[in-house]
Amino acid sequence: MIKIAMVEDDIQLAELLTQYLKKFNIEVTNFEEPFLALSSLRIHKFDLLILDLTLPGMDGLDVCKEVVEKYNIPIIISSARSDITDKVTALQIGADDYLPKPYDPRELEVRIKTILRRYNKNAEDIEDTKKKIFVLNLEKREITKKGQYIKLTAAEYEVLSLLIKREGFIVTREEIFDNSDLLNHDYENSGSLAVIINRIRQKIEDNSKEPKYLQTIRGMGYKFLQ
């Protein structure tokens, strides 16, 4: 059951949406007063918030801002206000979607499920990243181990980042050279790749002589595990 909090002072509309969404296993709890909604969010767990902007006692944009600051919950703005400034402001302060009234309840149902799929996927991705010992940040060209920055030379970074990208798969020496802008086959002939691998191990392994992350697969190449 998907649990939705809705802040809507139009009782007829709230009842219509509540009954319609119930058919899709979506349970709606409506609050006519924004202060009641904010109090309930402190106590109860909801999957998503549907928020009107024109409300008694408190503007919907102020409600949106407070919810974004205090709670980790996706927000759909449902409003008859047609000013583009309201839409832009709502999205800028953290709303996930803006649905202008009037609208077909079917569209609201689709948007709810679309946002929750994306929201839950992002949460899973974040959780997966938290579980990983090594995290590769391509934008910053950084690699961390348990959140600690690993100081690498350019060549070490290129080799280790490739191995992390191919985690769980054997990467041949030829692939390393083919995918590197810094290494050339002179490294392969001189045995310098082995030197780079050894230096990486000294920086990432608990015991470089018994590596558990960067493994050599004899006669084939290297495999990165974590």
Side-chain angles (χ1 to χ4, degrees), residues 142-195:
E142 290 181 356
I143 299 172
T144 57
K145 178 184 179 183
K146 297 179 180 178
Q148 298 297 311
Y149 171 72
I150 304 170
K151 189 175 181 179
L152 299 165
T153 67
E156 291 165 0
Y157 171 82
E158 283 210 349
V159 173
L160 183 55
S161 62
L162 175 61
L163 291 167
I164 290 176
K165 290 176 191 174
R166 308 276 184 87
E167 181 182 338
F169 294 91
I170 297 173
V171 181
T172 67
R173 293 170 177 82
E174 290 73 19
E175 284 182 278
I176 293 175
F177 291 111
D178 290 342
N179 285 276
S180 173
D181 294 327
L182 296 177
L183 304 183
N184 56 51
H185 285 275
D186 290 337
Y187 273 79
E188 184 176 22
N189 296 331
S190 67
S192 294
L193 177 57
V195 174

Side-chain angles (χ1 to χ4, degrees), residues 111-161:
R111 293 198 186 203
I112 288 171
K113 292 187 174 177
T114 298
I115 287 173
L116 287 178
R117 275 198 303 270
R118 184 173 67 242
Y119 185 81
N120 292 331
K121 176 65 166 57
N122 290 341
E124 289 172 5
D125 290 344
I126 291 170
E127 191 59 34
D128 286 343
T129 298
K130 287 180 179 177
K131 291 177 182 177
K132 287 185 176 295
I133 297 172
F134 294 90
V135 175
L136 170 62
N137 187 321
L138 291 172
E139 185 177 350
K140 294 183 178 180
R141 288 182 62 85
E142 290 181 356
I143 299 172
T144 57
K145 178 184 179 183
K146 297 179 180 178
Q148 298 297 311
Y149 171 72
I150 304 170
K151 189 175 181 179
L152 299 165
T153 67
E156 291 165 0
Y157 171 82
E158 283 210 349
V159 173
L160 183 55
S161 62

Side-chain angles (χ1 to χ4, degrees), residues 3-195:
K3 295 184 179 295
I4 301 291
M6 182 162 61
V7 188
E8 174 59 69
D9 62 344
D10 184 333
I11 305 304
Q12 288 186 327
L13 175 61
E15 182 62 25
L16 184 153
L17 294 175
T18 297
Q19 292 303 317
Y20 180 80
L21 293 174
K22 188 176 182 180
K23 296 186 291 186
F24 299 93
N25 206 33
I26 300 173
E27 179 183 273
V28 177
T29 302
N30 185 57
F31 302 92
E32 298 174 45
E33 302 280 345
F35 300 105
L36 294 176
L38 292 171
S39 297
S40 185
L41 285 173
R42 287 197 293 267
I43 302 169
H44 302 289
K45 169 67 176 174
F46 293 99
D47 298 301
L48 183 142
L49 173 65
I50 300 172
L51 177 63
D52 190 11
L53 292 186
T54 305
L55 298 167
M58 188 175 183
D59 187 78
L61 291 174
D62 293 328
V63 178
C64 182
K65 185 176 181 181
E66 184 168 338
V67 171
V68 169
E69 289 175 349
K70 294 182 178 180
Y71 307 103
N72 185 25
I73 181 173
I75 301 170
I76 295 177
I77 300 296
S78 165
S79 177
R81 280 159 47 173
S82 57
D83 190 341
I84 187 63
T85 303
D86 287 328
K87 180 176 182 178
V88 171
T89 301
L91 296 173
Q92 284 179 333
I93 63 179
D96 296 86
D97 203 351
Y98 193 104
L99 191 56
K101 297 176 182 176
Y103 53 81
D104 191 311
R106 290 176 295 181
E107 184 177 1
L108 177 61
E109 181 260 332
V110 169
R111 293 198 186 203
I112 288 171
K113 292 187 174 177
T114 298
I115 287 173
L116 287 178
R117 275 198 303 270
R118 184 173 67 242
Y119 185 81
N120 292 331
K121 176 65 166 57
N122 290 341
E124 289 172 5
D125 290 344
I126 291 170
E127 191 59 34
D128 286 343
T129 298
K130 287 180 179 177
K131 291 177 182 177
K132 287 185 176 295
I133 297 172
F134 294 90
V135 175
L136 170 62
N137 187 321
L138 291 172
E139 185 177 350
K140 294 183 178 180
R141 288 182 62 85
E142 290 181 356
I143 299 172
T144 57
K145 178 184 179 183
K146 297 179 180 178
Q148 298 297 311
Y149 171 72
I150 304 170
K151 189 175 181 179
L152 299 165
T153 67
E156 291 165 0
Y157 171 82
E158 283 210 349
V159 173
L160 183 55
S161 62
L162 175 61
L163 291 167
I164 290 176
K165 290 176 191 174
R166 308 276 184 87
E167 181 182 338
F169 294 91
I170 297 173
V171 181
T172 67
R173 293 170 177 82
E174 290 73 19
E175 284 182 278
I176 293 175
F177 291 111
D178 290 342
N179 285 276
S180 173
D181 294 327
L182 296 177
L183 304 183
N184 56 51
H185 285 275
D186 290 337
Y187 273 79
E188 184 176 22
N189 296 331
S190 67
S192 294
L193 177 57
V195 174

